């Protein structure tokens, strides 16, 4: 089974509207971390937001928030007030095991969602 | 520098030749990672360094791939006897280390094997 599934190959949103990018994950490890990255056409991976499996509240970073539903194993990214500069590929990723464990550096990535923001 | 620096940014090499890709992490970051991204694909983990040691080499696709890190800073990924399927973007990332969750990526080295 895929560890990280992003079911939306492409998404379109109007400027200034909110958009949700879906991510579901599969793990039997009780300790894990979930990441979202943005990859513009330049190729650089830009860290957006992190959610730990034991975090009680949903993570937020500016216009980005993570809708973490642990029982459903979903970690959707919500971008509020979309901007033209948000057009990019977005990747969801997971690290299994505790932050201090030997698997710390190994992120498993989804296939990505291409977001296009229309003016 | 301010971010993770990788060189070369682009490399075209002939099949069978060896290539070296370099990564200079963010100053003070003890953890360093190498990933590979093939065209239109997600990222594939290759190797992880904590300091100069590599606790996890499980992602290296074959024994033609090796990586080292010296002085707890710069890392070199070496691909020997390159094959066309090695063509990809090789991304390096770094973080402050265990317990720190923000992992910063460089812009990658685009490798084309012809």
């Amino acid at each position: 089974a895929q560890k990280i599934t992003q079911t939306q190959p492409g998404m379109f949103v109007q400027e200034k509207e909110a958009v949700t990018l879906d991510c579901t994950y599969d793990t039997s490890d009780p300790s894990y971390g979930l990441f979202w990255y943005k990859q513009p056409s330049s190729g650089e991976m830009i860290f957006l937001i992190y959610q730990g499996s034991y975090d009680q509240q949903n993570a937020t970073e500016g216009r980005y928030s993570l809708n973490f539903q642990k029982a459903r194993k979903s970690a959707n990214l919500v971008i509020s007030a979309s901007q033209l500069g948000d057009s990019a590929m977005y990747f969801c990723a997971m690290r299994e095991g505790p932050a201090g464990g030997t698997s710390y550096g190994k992120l498993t990535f989804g296939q990505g969602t291409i977001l296009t923001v229309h003016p | 520098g301010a971010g993770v620096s990788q060189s070369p940014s682009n490399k075209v090499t002939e099949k069978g030749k060896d290539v070296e890709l370099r990564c200079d992490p963010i100053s003070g970051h003890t953890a360093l990672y190498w990933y590979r991204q093939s065209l239109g694909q997600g990222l594939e983990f290759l190797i992880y360094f904590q300091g100069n040691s590599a606790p996890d080499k499980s992602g290296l696709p074959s024994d033609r791939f090796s990586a080292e890190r010296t002085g707890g800073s710069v890392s070199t990924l070496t691909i020997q006897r390159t094959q066309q399927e090695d063509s990809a973007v090789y991304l390096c990332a770094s973080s402050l280390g265990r317990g720190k969750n923000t992992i910063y990526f460089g812009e990658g080295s685009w490798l084309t094997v012809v």
Side-chain angles (χ1 to χ4, degrees), chain A residues 35 37 39 95 104-105 107, chain B residues 33 35 37 97 100-101 103:
Chain A
F35 300 74
Y37 283 87
Q39 187 177 43
R95 180 200 66 235
Y104 172 72
L107 298 184
Chain B
Y33 322 85
Y35 285 80
Q37 185 176 25
K100 301 300 179 182
N101 297 306
I103 300 173

Side-chain angles (χ1 to χ4, degrees), chain A residues 10 15 19 25 43 48 62 65-66 68 70 72 83 87 92 96 101 104 109 111 115 117-119:
Chain A
E15 193 178 9
V19 62
Y25 60 92
L48 296 178
S65 61
L66 201 152
F68 182 45
K70 196 169 182 176
R72 298 177 62 181
Q83 302 172 356
S87 293
C92 179
E96 294 177 277
Y104 172 72
F109 284 80
Q111 293 295 92
L115 176 66
V117 180
H118 289 303

Side-chain angles (χ1 to χ4, degrees), chain B residues 6-113:
Chain B
Q6 292 187 246
S7 62
S9 54
N10 282 286
K11 175 74 175 178
V12 179
T13 190
E14 292 182 352
K15 179 181 173 181
K17 295 281 179 78
D18 297 351
V19 296
E20 286 190 351
L21 307 176
R22 174 189 166 103
C23 173
D24 198 345
I26 293 172
S27 178
H29 281 194
T30 60
L32 184 148
Y33 322 85
W34 284 98
Y35 285 80
R36 177 169 73 173
Q37 185 176 25
S38 301
L39 187 64
Q41 301 295 310
L43 275 75
E44 172 190 13
F45 170 82
L46 298 179
I47 189 170
Y48 151 55
F49 287 93
Q50 179 62 40
N52 290 337
S53 65
D56 193 344
K57 303 179 182 179
S58 62
L60 293 177
S62 75
D63 59 7
R64 295 187 297 103
F65 288 73
S66 63
E68 65 175 14
R69 188 181 187 196
T70 55
S73 182
V74 172
S75 175
T76 302
L77 176 69
T78 301
I79 309 172
Q80 295 178 309
R81 305 181 303 281
T82 52
Q83 304 293 315
Q84 288 185 330
E85 60 263 28
D86 299 334
S87 296
V89 178
Y90 290 82
L91 286 155
C92 179
S94 71
S95 73
L96 281 168
R98 293 180 180 181
K100 301 300 179 182
N101 297 306
T102 305
I103 300 173
Y104 297 93
F105 283 79
E107 294 191 0
S109 291
W110 290 72
L111 175 66
T112 303
V113 181

